[in-house]
Amino acid sequence: MASSLCFLPFLLFVISSASSSTDILHGSEENEAVGHDLYREFLRDEAVSRLNELGKVSDVDGYLERTFMSPASIRAANVIRRWMEDAGLRTWIDHIGNVHGRVDGMNASAPALLMGSHMDTVVDAGKFDGALGIISAISAMKVLKVTEKLEKLKYPVEVIAFCDEEGVRFQSTFLGSAAIAGILPAATLNISDKSGRTLQEVLKENTVEATQDNLIQLKYHPESVWGYVEVHIEQGPVLESAGIPLGVVKGIAGQTRLKVTVSGSQGHAGTVPMSMRRDPMAAAAELVVLLESLCKQPQKFLSYDDECSTVDSLFGSLVCTVGEISLWPSASNVIPGQVTFTIDLRAMDDIGREAVLYELSARMYNICDKRSVSCVIERKHDANAVKCDGELSMQLQSAAHTAFRKMAGNVDVDVPKLMSGAGHDAMAMAHLTKMGMLFVRCRGGISHSPAEHVLDDDVWAAGLAVLAFLENHV
């Protein structure tokens, strides 16, 4: 019996016919940069230089690795703080290691716009993930300082370089942004890294006095915040295939992680007849193919009706991955006795995600029963989807249009609207305030890799969009 779910067309991105597949900034010799307010010196040249500089701040030689409160992380924090001060911001480092830079504008008591991203990296990382969002915000603030508009802002603006988003060291993501949003459990101070040192001990070693009371005090009051904006590389191929440097994020997908254990009868590869086998590997293979089929064409597995129109479509947002698989005893001449694999399932629609999980589990158990093997499905992680604020997204879309016009003239293009399959600090900040995100095109959609790359002019476009947003809405 199929699960009941309704579908609406899901708009992954929208591109006008005038844009075709041509790059709107580089597709024509006639598209020369126009106007005198492009601020290339700060938004492009200096920003790119700073990305390269920060990309060299690493704990190891030969590749980029900068994890929470490592020596390189401390150096990076000091560098970022210096850049914030250069942009005219008042700076400080809080009790968990976030770097803040703030300007009060004309009304220090008004709710503040928060901008930023994370300064930590994965192992063998690229130099744009996280760093681009921090540097784009700082660069835009510096232009406001140079043009004497910084103190004329209607609202306070605060740029935050979050100390940890990747979760590499303590396997707990969003340490910095979750603390600001007030959703970081006090018990997090007691988690340990691989060396056995707790988060609290690591902070104390770096002269950051983190207690449960201090952690609670890090939470911003919702009434003190106007909104949160984050610029981030797309980490996917959509913008590059569309030939457009910037896109507006519609939301961040919810995620479920499963651990599936299939158990059968271990035996000799040459002596057990095929008809008498209870092979968990063959069963696991069928389960993986089922997962792929369901996630590629959910409409063939899930029923829907017209009365369920409030449920968002899974089309274009549902993705499923088997990232790990292991078997015992793992020998070429032995029928395995047990196979374990993981499932990472993400979708923008939480109800739809639950329907997929229900249908998937029922069909997996049925397959295992037919094959006379046992199957245990454990849910290891759940995170609900987060939607970006509609008004804030429209403002960012307008800001991106402004950047396009300044760089390429009177172009006719719709800014793509995308969902994010990856988590970002905006996911935690959504618990505090309305939030919006801009994605920036990255070459090949490659991220978490030294091959991660953003064109210099796309860095420029991102900076121009942030500047336009600040000038028009803050």
Side-chain angles (χ1 to χ4, degrees), residues 119-142:
M119 61 182 175
D120 67 316
T121 75
V122 296
V123 177
D124 199 19
K127 61 187 176 184
F128 297 93
D129 183 1
L132 179 61
I134 298 168
I135 291 171
S136 293
I138 294 173
S139 298
M141 298 299 284
K142 184 169 181 178

Side-chain angles (χ1 to χ4, degrees), residues 228-457:
Y228 173 76
V229 169
E230 181 169 357
V231 174
H232 204 282
I233 60 172
E234 182 194 352
Q235 299 178 292
V238 175
L239 289 174
E240 184 180 56
S241 65
I244 300 177
L246 303 176
V248 175
V249 180
K250 296 179 64 174
I252 303 173
Q255 179 187 21
T256 296
R257 293 181 186 177
L258 305 175
K259 178 183 177 181
V260 181
T261 303
V262 185
S263 301
S265 293
Q266 185 174 323
H268 195 292
T271 60
V272 181
M274 296 299 293
S275 61
M276 299 178 67
R277 295 189 180 195
R278 296 172 54 236
D279 187 345
M281 187 64 226
E286 187 173 351
L287 299 182
V288 172
V289 172
L290 166 68
L291 174 72
E292 181 188 42
S293 299
L294 196 160
C295 291
K296 278 186 173 181
Q297 296 180 303
Q299 73 278 12
K300 291 187 176 181
F301 294 82
L302 306 173
S303 64
Y304 57 96
D305 55 57
D306 294 336
E307 296 180 358
C308 201
S309 59
T310 58
V311 180
D312 291 337
S313 170
L314 289 170
F315 295 122
S317 77
L318 177 63
V319 291
C320 308
T321 304
V322 173
E324 298 179 44
I325 188 165
S326 61
L327 62 160
W328 179 262
S330 189
S332 61
N333 61 343
V334 178
I335 302 166
Q338 187 175 88
V339 177
T340 301
F341 62 94
T342 62
I343 293 175
D344 183 309
L345 192 150
R346 308 185 188 206
M348 275 303 303
D349 173 22
D350 291 328
I351 296 176
R353 177 166 49 88
E354 288 297 331
V356 170
L357 288 166
Y358 179 85
E359 186 68 19
L360 175 66
S361 298
R363 289 176 180 262
M364 288 176 72
Y365 286 130
N366 186 48
I367 289 171
C368 289
D369 285 343
K370 288 182 177 180
R371 287 181 168 271
S372 299
V373 296
S374 67
C375 181
V376 177
I377 303 172
E378 302 173 79
R379 293 180 74 144
K380 291 295 187 179
H381 172 76
D382 279 293
N384 286 338
V386 173
K387 292 187 177 180
C388 296
D389 179 74
E391 182 180 2
L392 201 52
S393 294
M394 289 180 62
Q395 293 168 347
L396 290 170
Q397 185 179 36
S398 176
H401 270 297
T402 299
F404 295 165
R405 288 194 300 270
K406 287 183 176 181
M407 295 184 71
N410 189 23
V411 296
D412 180 17
V413 62
D414 288 330
V415 177
K417 301 176 181 67
L418 309 92
M419 55 79 62
S420 174
H424 302 286
D425 287 299
M427 204 169 193
M429 296 298 285
H431 291 270
L432 172 68
T433 184
K434 63 182 181 181
M435 67 86 176
M437 288 190 72
L438 271 180
F439 270 171
V440 184
R441 169 175 55 186
C442 60
R443 185 171 61 196
I446 297 172
S447 183
H448 285 187
S449 162
E452 185 179 277
H453 182 74
V454 176
L455 295 171
D456 291 359
D457 279 0

Side-chain angles (χ1 to χ4, degrees), residues 48-66:
V48 170
S49 175
R50 287 175 170 179
L51 284 163
N52 291 331
E53 181 179 346
L54 197 60
K56 296 176 182 176
V57 182
S58 176
D59 284 304
V60 295
D61 294 328
Y63 61 88
L64 178 57
E65 178 182 334
R66 191 169 60 239

